[in-house]
Short mmCIF file of all heavy atoms in Angstrom, two decimals:
data_model
loop_
_atom_site.label_atom_id
_atom_site.label_comp_id
_atom_site.label_asym_id
_atom_site.label_seq_id
_atom_site.Cartn_x
_atom_site.Cartn_y
_atom_site.Cartn_z
N MET I 159 -23.75 -16.96 36.15
CA MET I 159 -24.99 -17.60 36.50
C MET I 159 -25.85 -17.79 35.29
O MET I 159 -25.75 -17.08 34.48
CB MET I 159 -25.86 -16.61 37.41
CG MET I 159 -25.18 -16.44 38.80
SD MET I 159 -25.39 -17.74 39.85
CE MET I 159 -24.60 -17.33 41.17
N VAL I 160 -26.43 -18.97 35.22
CA VAL I 160 -27.39 -19.36 34.26
C VAL I 160 -28.76 -19.34 34.72
O VAL I 160 -29.02 -20.07 35.77
CB VAL I 160 -26.92 -20.76 33.65
CG1 VAL I 160 -27.96 -21.14 32.48
CG2 VAL I 160 -25.56 -20.65 33.10
N GLU I 161 -29.65 -18.66 34.12
CA GLU I 161 -31.02 -18.58 34.57
C GLU I 161 -31.98 -19.50 33.63
O GLU I 161 -31.87 -19.45 32.47
CB GLU I 161 -31.56 -17.19 34.47
CG GLU I 161 -33.01 -17.02 34.87
CD GLU I 161 -33.32 -15.58 34.90
OE1 GLU I 161 -32.50 -14.69 35.35
OE2 GLU I 161 -34.43 -15.23 34.41
N HIS I 162 -32.77 -20.29 34.18
CA HIS I 162 -33.72 -21.08 33.52
C HIS I 162 -34.91 -20.27 33.08
O HIS I 162 -35.49 -19.63 33.90
CB HIS I 162 -34.17 -22.43 34.28
CG HIS I 162 -33.13 -23.40 34.48
ND1 HIS I 162 -32.81 -24.38 33.40
CD2 HIS I 162 -32.23 -23.64 35.45
CE1 HIS I 162 -31.74 -25.06 33.75
NE2 HIS I 162 -31.41 -24.61 35.04
N LEU I 166 -36.31 -26.85 30.82
CA LEU I 166 -35.13 -27.26 30.07
C LEU I 166 -34.61 -26.22 29.01
O LEU I 166 -34.12 -26.47 28.07
CB LEU I 166 -35.29 -28.58 29.37
CG LEU I 166 -35.52 -29.80 30.22
CD1 LEU I 166 -35.77 -30.99 29.38
CD2 LEU I 166 -34.30 -30.03 31.16
N GLN I 167 -34.81 -24.97 29.39
CA GLN I 167 -34.35 -23.87 28.47
C GLN I 167 -33.40 -22.92 29.36
O GLN I 167 -33.69 -22.75 30.54
CB GLN I 167 -35.46 -23.03 27.91
CG GLN I 167 -36.41 -23.78 27.10
CD GLN I 167 -37.45 -22.82 26.45
OE1 GLN I 167 -37.58 -21.74 26.76
NE2 GLN I 167 -38.27 -23.51 25.66
N THR I 168 -32.45 -22.44 28.64
CA THR I 168 -31.60 -21.48 29.45
C THR I 168 -31.40 -20.27 28.50
O THR I 168 -31.63 -20.10 27.33
CB THR I 168 -30.19 -22.04 29.61
OG1 THR I 168 -29.64 -22.47 28.28
CG2 THR I 168 -30.16 -23.22 30.47
N ASP I 169 -31.09 -19.08 29.25
CA ASP I 169 -30.77 -17.87 28.59
C ASP I 169 -29.32 -17.87 28.10
O ASP I 169 -28.41 -17.73 28.75
CB ASP I 169 -31.09 -16.63 29.55
CG ASP I 169 -31.02 -15.32 28.89
OD1 ASP I 169 -30.60 -15.20 27.76
OD2 ASP I 169 -31.17 -14.29 29.66
N THR I 170 -29.24 -17.91 26.82
CA THR I 170 -27.90 -17.88 26.18
C THR I 170 -27.01 -16.70 26.42
O THR I 170 -25.96 -16.85 26.57
CB THR I 170 -28.03 -18.19 24.67
OG1 THR I 170 -28.88 -19.32 24.45
CG2 THR I 170 -26.74 -18.46 24.09
N LYS I 171 -27.72 -15.59 26.48
CA LYS I 171 -26.92 -14.33 26.69
C LYS I 171 -26.35 -14.29 27.98
O LYS I 171 -25.26 -13.80 28.25
CB LYS I 171 -27.86 -13.15 26.51
CG LYS I 171 -28.26 -12.95 25.07
CD LYS I 171 -29.08 -11.60 24.90
CE LYS I 171 -29.38 -11.50 23.43
NZ LYS I 171 -30.12 -10.31 23.07
N LYS I 172 -27.08 -14.91 29.07
CA LYS I 172 -26.51 -14.96 30.38
C LYS I 172 -25.24 -15.88 30.40
O LYS I 172 -24.23 -15.80 31.06
CB LYS I 172 -27.51 -15.38 31.39
CG LYS I 172 -28.46 -14.25 31.64
CD LYS I 172 -29.33 -14.41 32.68
CE LYS I 172 -30.30 -13.26 32.91
NZ LYS I 172 -31.06 -13.19 34.03
N VAL I 173 -25.43 -17.04 29.56
CA VAL I 173 -24.26 -18.02 29.57
C VAL I 173 -22.98 -17.29 28.97
O VAL I 173 -21.90 -17.39 29.50
CB VAL I 173 -24.61 -19.18 28.67
CG1 VAL I 173 -23.38 -20.13 28.51
CG2 VAL I 173 -25.74 -20.08 29.41
N LEU I 174 -23.23 -16.55 27.85
CA LEU I 174 -22.12 -15.71 27.29
C LEU I 174 -21.64 -14.74 28.21
O LEU I 174 -20.39 -14.53 28.21
CB LEU I 174 -22.71 -15.12 25.98
CG LEU I 174 -23.08 -16.06 24.91
CD1 LEU I 174 -23.70 -15.41 23.71
CD2 LEU I 174 -21.94 -17.02 24.30
N ALA I 176 -21.56 -14.84 31.41
CA ALA I 176 -20.68 -15.47 32.45
C ALA I 176 -19.43 -16.01 31.86
O ALA I 176 -18.31 -16.01 32.62
CB ALA I 176 -21.56 -16.75 33.06
N THR I 177 -19.47 -16.41 30.61
CA THR I 177 -18.06 -16.83 29.95
C THR I 177 -17.19 -15.73 29.76
O THR I 177 -15.96 -15.82 30.00
CB THR I 177 -18.50 -17.49 28.59
OG1 THR I 177 -19.38 -18.52 28.69
CG2 THR I 177 -17.19 -17.88 27.93
N PHE I 317 -15.69 -20.61 24.79
CA PHE I 317 -17.27 -20.29 24.40
C PHE I 317 -18.09 -21.33 24.13
O PHE I 317 -19.23 -21.49 24.58
CB PHE I 317 -17.36 -19.24 23.39
CG PHE I 317 -17.12 -17.77 23.89
CD1 PHE I 317 -15.89 -17.25 24.03
CD2 PHE I 317 -18.18 -17.01 24.40
CE1 PHE I 317 -15.63 -15.91 24.53
CE2 PHE I 317 -18.08 -15.76 24.93
CZ PHE I 317 -16.76 -15.18 24.98
N GLU I 318 -17.56 -22.33 23.43
CA GLU I 318 -18.27 -23.58 23.05
C GLU I 318 -18.63 -24.47 24.12
O GLU I 318 -19.81 -24.98 24.17
CB GLU I 318 -17.52 -24.29 21.88
CG GLU I 318 -17.57 -23.59 20.50
CD GLU I 318 -16.70 -24.26 19.55
OE1 GLU I 318 -15.93 -25.09 19.81
OE2 GLU I 318 -16.84 -23.80 18.33
N VAL I 319 -17.71 -24.80 25.00
CA VAL I 319 -17.97 -25.62 26.06
C VAL I 319 -19.17 -25.28 26.97
O VAL I 319 -20.14 -26.14 27.18
CB VAL I 319 -16.70 -25.87 26.92
CG1 VAL I 319 -16.94 -26.66 28.25
CG2 VAL I 319 -15.62 -26.61 26.09
N PRO I 320 -19.27 -24.02 27.45
CA PRO I 320 -20.50 -23.79 28.29
C PRO I 320 -21.86 -23.89 27.56
O PRO I 320 -22.81 -24.21 28.07
CB PRO I 320 -20.34 -22.29 28.77
CG PRO I 320 -18.85 -22.08 28.55
CD PRO I 320 -18.33 -22.95 27.46
N LEU I 321 -21.75 -23.47 26.18
CA LEU I 321 -22.91 -23.57 25.40
C LEU I 321 -23.30 -24.95 25.22
O LEU I 321 -24.59 -25.33 25.13
CB LEU I 321 -22.66 -22.87 24.04
CG LEU I 321 -22.58 -21.36 23.99
CD1 LEU I 321 -22.03 -20.82 22.74
CD2 LEU I 321 -23.94 -20.75 24.44
N ARG I 322 -22.45 -25.84 25.04
CA ARG I 322 -22.81 -27.35 24.83
C ARG I 322 -23.38 -27.87 26.24
O ARG I 322 -24.21 -28.73 26.20
CB ARG I 322 -21.58 -28.19 24.56
CG ARG I 322 -21.21 -27.89 23.11
CD ARG I 322 -19.99 -28.83 22.54
NE ARG I 322 -19.68 -28.53 21.22
CZ ARG I 322 -18.42 -28.33 20.89
NH1 ARG I 322 -17.42 -28.30 21.77
NH2 ARG I 322 -18.21 -27.94 19.58
N ILE I 323 -22.75 -27.48 27.36
CA ILE I 323 -23.14 -27.95 28.56
C ILE I 323 -24.63 -27.53 28.88
O ILE I 323 -25.37 -28.24 29.45
CB ILE I 323 -22.21 -27.41 29.68
CG1 ILE I 323 -20.86 -28.10 29.68
CG2 ILE I 323 -22.83 -27.62 31.07
CD1 ILE I 323 -19.84 -27.41 30.54
N VAL I 324 -25.09 -26.30 28.57
CA VAL I 324 -26.43 -25.85 28.77
C VAL I 324 -27.31 -26.33 27.62
O VAL I 324 -28.50 -25.95 27.62
CB VAL I 324 -26.45 -24.33 28.90
CG1 VAL I 324 -25.61 -24.01 30.14
CG2 VAL I 324 -26.15 -23.59 27.74
N GLY I 325 -26.82 -27.22 26.69
CA GLY I 325 -27.82 -27.68 25.67
C GLY I 325 -27.91 -26.91 24.45
O GLY I 325 -28.96 -26.90 23.73
N GLN I 326 -26.85 -26.13 24.09
CA GLN I 326 -26.88 -25.44 22.91
C GLN I 326 -25.61 -25.76 21.93
O GLN I 326 -24.86 -24.98 21.51
CB GLN I 326 -26.66 -23.83 23.20
CG GLN I 326 -27.74 -23.22 24.11
CD GLN I 326 -28.93 -22.89 23.28
OE1 GLN I 326 -28.95 -22.80 22.08
NE2 GLN I 326 -30.02 -22.68 23.97
N PRO I 327 -25.53 -27.07 21.54
CA PRO I 327 -24.51 -27.59 20.82
C PRO I 327 -24.51 -26.99 19.28
O PRO I 327 -23.55 -27.00 18.57
CB PRO I 327 -24.59 -29.03 20.87
CG PRO I 327 -25.99 -29.24 20.99
CD PRO I 327 -26.52 -28.03 21.89
N ASP I 328 -25.70 -26.49 18.86
CA ASP I 328 -25.75 -26.07 17.50
C ASP I 328 -25.35 -24.58 17.35
O ASP I 328 -25.27 -24.09 16.24
CB ASP I 328 -27.27 -26.19 17.02
CG ASP I 328 -28.20 -25.57 17.92
OD1 ASP I 328 -27.86 -25.35 19.11
OD2 ASP I 328 -29.36 -25.31 17.43
N VAL I 329 -24.98 -23.90 18.41
CA VAL I 329 -24.58 -22.41 18.38
C VAL I 329 -23.03 -22.54 17.98
O VAL I 329 -22.22 -23.19 18.54
CB VAL I 329 -24.81 -21.75 19.66
CG1 VAL I 329 -24.16 -20.37 19.59
CG2 VAL I 329 -26.24 -21.67 20.00
#
Side-chain angles (χ1 to χ4, degrees):
M159 297 284 179
V160 177
E161 181 179 315
H162 288 279
L166 295 176
Q167 294 182 357
T168 55
D169 186 355
T170 305
K171 289 183 180 179
K172 289 190 180 191
V173 172
L174 295 174
T177 303
F317 275 89
E318 286 175 346
V319 169
L321 288 168
R322 286 186 183 127
I323 290 172
V324 296
Q326 300 279 343
D328 54 339
V329 175

